[in-house]
Amino acid sequence: GQSLEQPSEVTAVEGAIVQINCTYQTSGFYGLSWYQQHDGGAPTFLSYNALDGLEETGRFSSFLSRSDSYGYLLLQELQMKDSASYFCAVRGVVDGGYQKVTFGTGTKLQVIP
Amino acid sequence: DVKVTQSSRYLVKRTGEKVFLECVQDMDHENMFWYRQDPGLGLRLIYFSYDVKMKEKGDIPEGYSVSREKKERFSLILESASTNQTSMYLCASSLSVGNTEAFFGQGTRLTVV
């Protein structure tokens, strides 16, 4: 099966940098995604890594190491509006040969002044 | 913009009722998914579909069924609602099997009493 681990809560100061880690287990790995969800809102896509290395999109970056089954989301210049839950999600192959995406349990980020 | 619309934002149903949750996407996406979200458990996949009239079980299909008669519509059915099915239900779609970004609806908060 597929499984992921990420911290349940992280607190960081406005303007600082925070890293949210994610380790995963899957067969037939295709990639690791990150989603943001504000309270009461729908998850929205942030990034996707299929290959090792760092992908940068504005203040957000995502890193993947396939050999370590590990990735992280890096948020720079934190703003109050970044307070949200962040989910990593792994895409792999399951029985029957279908690709499936499994989400982690989410990391609740609180940004404080 | 892609729009994924869930028919109800809030629903209250009685134990034993048959419940239909409807989801429609307007961007001709092949893939559609149903998740439930519970505190501390993240998003758990109930069922998914990669094509019309095609369905595959996710991680927690027990007590649920789905229907996909048209490409744009994916319905989740609770055959006999139980209190442990009280949850937030999220529908999502993505363009194709190889596409990495999923678009989510706003969710249906179902309460079974």
Side-chain angles (χ1 to χ4, degrees):
Chain A
Q2 296 175 313
S3 65
L4 301 97
E5 280 194 29
Q6 54 182 128
S8 58
E9 293 181 353
V10 172
T11 300
V13 177
E14 189 177 14
I17 299 172
V18 71
Q19 178 174 312
I20 299 173
N21 298 320
C22 174
T23 57
Y24 60 86
Q25 284 187 313
T26 186
S27 53
F29 175 83
Y30 275 87
L32 189 72
S33 302
W34 289 92
Y35 286 80
Q36 178 192 61
Q37 185 182 31
H38 286 99
D39 284 347
T44 55
F45 175 82
L46 290 176
S47 68
Y48 178 78
N49 295 68
L51 302 175
D52 292 348
L54 191 68
E55 296 277 346
E56 298 181 60
T57 308
R59 294 187 298 114
F60 292 5
S61 303
S62 57
F63 172 83
L64 175 67
S65 169
R66 288 175 296 172
S67 60
D68 295 322
S69 297
Y70 163 76
Y72 65 73
L73 180 69
L74 192 73
L75 294 82
Q76 303 181 73
E77 301 172 16
L78 279 172
Q79 301 176 8
M80 298 300 291
K81 67 178 182 180
D82 296 330
S83 292
S85 292
Y86 293 84
F87 295 88
C88 56
V90 67
R91 187 159 71 103
V93 178
V94 296
D95 291 345
Y98 293 107
Q99 292 184 34
K100 195 179 88 166
V101 173
T102 296
F103 282 77
T105 54
T107 299
K108 191 170 180 69
L109 170 65
Q110 183 182 14
V111 180
I112 58 176
Chain B
D1 282 351
V2 175
K3 195 166 183 182
V4 179
T5 304
Q6 295 183 228
S7 53
S8 304
R9 194 81 168 96
Y10 299 94
L11 271 181
V12 180
K13 296 292 183 181
R14 295 194 179 277
T15 301
E17 275 193 80
K18 190 169 185 176
V19 181
F20 293 85
L21 302 183
E22 306 287 346
C23 175
V24 177
Q25 49 94 3
D26 66 357
M27 284 301 290
D28 204 33
H29 283 179
E30 293 180 0
N31 306 333
M32 296 190 76
F33 311 86
W34 275 106
Y35 294 88
R36 64 176 283 177
Q37 184 172 24
D38 302 286
L41 297 178
L43 284 77
R44 292 181 292 166
L45 182 64
I46 305 171
Y47 267 95
F48 60 101
S49 169
Y50 285 155
D51 201 354
V52 176
K53 296 191 187 294
M54 176 272 181
K55 60 186 178 185
E56 282 293 324
K57 293 180 179 178
D59 298 315
I60 51 165
E62 296 78 19
Y64 303 94
S65 62
V66 290
S67 171
R68 194 166 181 200
E69 295 295 318
K70 293 185 177 181
K71 191 174 186 180
E72 67 270 19
R73 186 180 297 271
F74 193 35
S75 303
L76 180 69
I77 303 155
L78 287 68
E79 297 290 341
S80 178
S82 63
T83 55
N84 63 12
Q85 292 178 309
T86 292
S87 185
M88 172 67 83
Y89 290 87
L90 289 162
C91 174
S93 72
S94 66
L95 180 60
S96 63
V97 170
N99 186 261
T100 60
E101 180 177 358
F103 295 84
F104 283 82
Q106 282 298 110
T108 297
R109 171 73 66 184
L110 173 67
T111 303
V112 182
V113 298

